[in-house]
Amino acid sequence: RFRGRSFMALVLAPSRPVAEWFADLDALVRRSPAFFDGRPVILDVSGLGLHEADLAALVADLHRRDIRVMAVEGADPSELGLGLPP
């Protein structure tokens, strides 16, 4: 037996410069501290051209902000190493 389930996820799509994008994200979190609580997050990095180390740093920066990334979209699969979401 197979059962499907659909759910809504929040998609974060960082833009360059990433430092400014993080500043905007931090402002959002200050206004609404519980905004990301319990929400599935997908990280869309298409167009950024990140390599594995930069992608890992981006996910780690989000993790430090208590934002848990469940999936990465727009990345080369070879750049998704151990410890990174699929």
Side-chain angles (χ1 to χ4, degrees):
R1 215 171 202 221
F2 291 97
R3 291 185 184 204
R5 183 178 287 209
S6 62
F7 60 92
M8 299 286 287
L10 185 65
V11 177
L12 291 178
S15 58
R16 293 198 185 270
V18 176
E20 287 181 21
W21 180 82
F22 268 120
D24 291 342
L25 181 67
D26 291 339
L28 170 71
V29 170
R30 278 192 299 279
R31 286 190 308 272
S32 302
F35 185 78
F36 291 101
D37 289 355
R39 291 190 184 198
V41 174
I42 296 173
L43 183 63
D44 182 357
V45 295
S46 54
L48 290 181
L50 299 177
H51 295 288
E52 186 175 350
D54 297 326
L55 185 56
L58 180 64
V59 171
D61 285 342
L62 291 168
H63 184 79
R64 278 192 285 283
R65 289 168 170 83
D66 291 325
I67 299 172
R68 305 293 188 264
V69 176
M70 65 178 284
V72 177
E73 183 166 324
D76 183 341
S78 67
E79 299 293 337
L80 298 173
L82 289 175
L84 287 176

